[in-house]
Amino acid sequence: RKSQIPVIADIHFQPKYVFAAIEAGCAAVRVNPGNIKQFDDKVKEIARAAKDHGTPIRIGVNAGSLDRRLLEKYGKATPEALVESALWEASLFEEHDFRDIKISVKHNDPVVMVNAYRLLAAQCDYPLHLGVTEAGPAFQGTIKSAVAFGALLSEGIGDTIRVSLSAPPVEEIKVGIQILESLGLRQRRLEIVSCPSCGRAQVDVYKLAEEVTAGLEGMEVPLRVAVMGCVVNGPGEAREADLGVASGNGKGQIFVKGEVIKTVPESKIVETLIEEAMKIAEQMERSGVASGEPAVTVS
């Protein structure tokens, strides 16, 4: 009750802690029907307590702790097994006129996970919480989560998400925010558009992109900055961005809102971009552009 942010309890093994979490004022409670003994026998009491306190329940089915009866039936944690488990538990709550429910059917394999959520979305109207569970270390888990969430969210499937990484929780949040921004589901903040490795590059675009990103860290306005290393795609990308540079032959053309405002030596590119970015940010803030936490994309 004293927390400044909503607290969601994640309950396993002991049903008594479901009641304790509800009584403690948690914003919501996740229950794992696969590893709470005699969970089905407690649904009536849980539904009553949750309804009395206005506490939503998430039925969180997980491939790693699927009910053994379903494992025996399907042989492994298939999409069908995950969905059957979730809908069975939901039906028990429905019998007691409780429908303040959210459902998740997580799996560590993005393909199985995506198919499970598609099946689930076709069979119920409950809000769905997306997650690739135990997705792995930061790089691998980011890729797996982005692939799965991108597929489902682009189809309109999913209401909340959890990026699950073997990394500090703040990294999970950064990845989740970036996925939502990339899909246009969250307002973009700072975005860096920059070149990949390419034989046409005439400057060290890796170094330029890193230095510009570091120099603009903390910027909270929706600003797109293009850091381009050649004259093929460079001018076009720079022209489309709020601010950009097309580099070549030891110099860079600086674009602001599609227009070339100056040409500077390569040694001055980073300094100039940062100066111009600050000017644009000040103008945006004066104009009342919404601010928020920055996120950076280097593509």
Side-chain angles (χ1 to χ4, degrees):
R1 291 188 177 91
K2 296 180 180 180
S3 174
Q4 296 178 354
I5 60 173
V7 173
I8 298 179
D10 191 9
I11 307 299
H12 301 267
F13 303 113
Q14 296 289 343
K16 66 181 181 180
Y17 294 121
V18 177
F19 300 104
I22 292 172
E23 291 291 336
C26 287
V29 176
R30 179 268 177 116
V31 293
N32 187 341
N35 64 19
I36 298 180
K37 292 182 180 179
Q38 298 178 327
F39 174 79
D40 293 355
D41 297 336
K42 297 289 185 180
V43 168
K44 181 178 181 179
E45 297 173 51
I46 292 172
R48 184 188 305 121
K51 186 182 293 186
D52 290 345
H53 288 79
T55 307
I57 297 291
R58 172 161 69 93
I59 297 172
V61 178
N62 191 302
S65 54
L66 188 65
D67 189 299
R68 61 177 179 78
R69 293 168 295 183
L70 289 165
L71 284 175
E72 291 171 359
K73 177 179 179 180
Y74 289 95
K76 59 181 180 179
T78 64
E80 293 78 9
L82 296 170
V83 170
E84 182 173 328
S85 175
L87 293 181
W88 165 253
E89 302 302 339
S91 72
L92 297 181
F93 279 97
E94 292 167 354
E95 288 179 5
H96 302 291
D97 196 31
F98 185 86
R99 291 176 171 79
D100 194 2
I101 296 170
K102 178 161 61 176
I103 298 177
S104 62
V105 283
K106 297 183 180 181
H107 198 287
N108 61 68
D109 184 327
V111 175
V112 176
M113 175 269 201
V114 167
N115 288 333
Y117 278 100
R118 283 174 175 161
L119 283 174
L120 188 59
Q123 296 182 49
C124 77
D125 293 324
Y126 286 119
L128 304 182
H129 174 68
L130 305 185
V132 178
T133 189
E134 292 96 35
F139 179 76
Q140 173 185 294
T142 295
I143 299 299
K144 290 168 72 172
S145 297
V147 167
F149 293 174
L152 291 168
L153 292 172
S154 66
E155 297 172 16
I157 298 173
D159 299 276
T160 58
I161 65 172
R162 160 75 192 283
V163 176
S164 176
L165 305 177
S166 298
V170 69
E171 298 304 316
E172 298 181 343
I173 295 171
K174 288 179 181 178
V175 171
I177 287 173
Q178 191 60 66
I179 290 172
L180 296 177
E181 288 185 355
S182 298
L183 292 167
L185 297 174
R186 189 179 193 274
Q187 182 174 328
R188 294 176 184 268
R189 304 307 180 196
L190 175 65
E191 179 184 8
I192 305 295
V193 178
S194 62
C195 300
S197 58
C198 172
R200 298 189 300 265
Q202 297 179 328
V203 298
D204 187 346
V205 73
Y206 296 165
K207 185 170 181 284
L208 280 182
E210 288 177 358
E211 291 180 352
V212 171
T213 300
L216 298 180
E217 185 177 0
M219 183 166 286
E220 298 186 347
V221 296
L223 182 69
R224 175 173 287 179
V225 181
V227 183
M228 306 301 294
C230 79
V231 295
V232 177
N233 295 324
E237 292 285 3
R239 193 172 287 114
E240 289 296 316
D242 299 302
L243 170 66
V245 60
S247 310
N249 298 320
K251 58 189 177 182
Q253 283 188 314
I254 306 298
F255 290 75
V256 174
K257 303 295 184 182
E259 301 293 332
V260 177
I261 62 164
K262 64 180 76 172
T263 300
V264 299
E266 184 178 331
S267 61
K268 296 288 186 181
I269 288 175
V270 173
E271 175 186 332
T272 304
L273 284 176
I274 292 173
E275 289 176 355
E276 296 299 328
M278 295 303 179
K279 292 178 186 177
I280 296 172
E282 289 177 8
Q283 293 172 357
M284 287 181 168
E285 289 170 354
R286 286 198 298 269
S287 301
V289 174
S291 62
E293 294 184 357
V296 178
T297 301
V298 179
S299 56

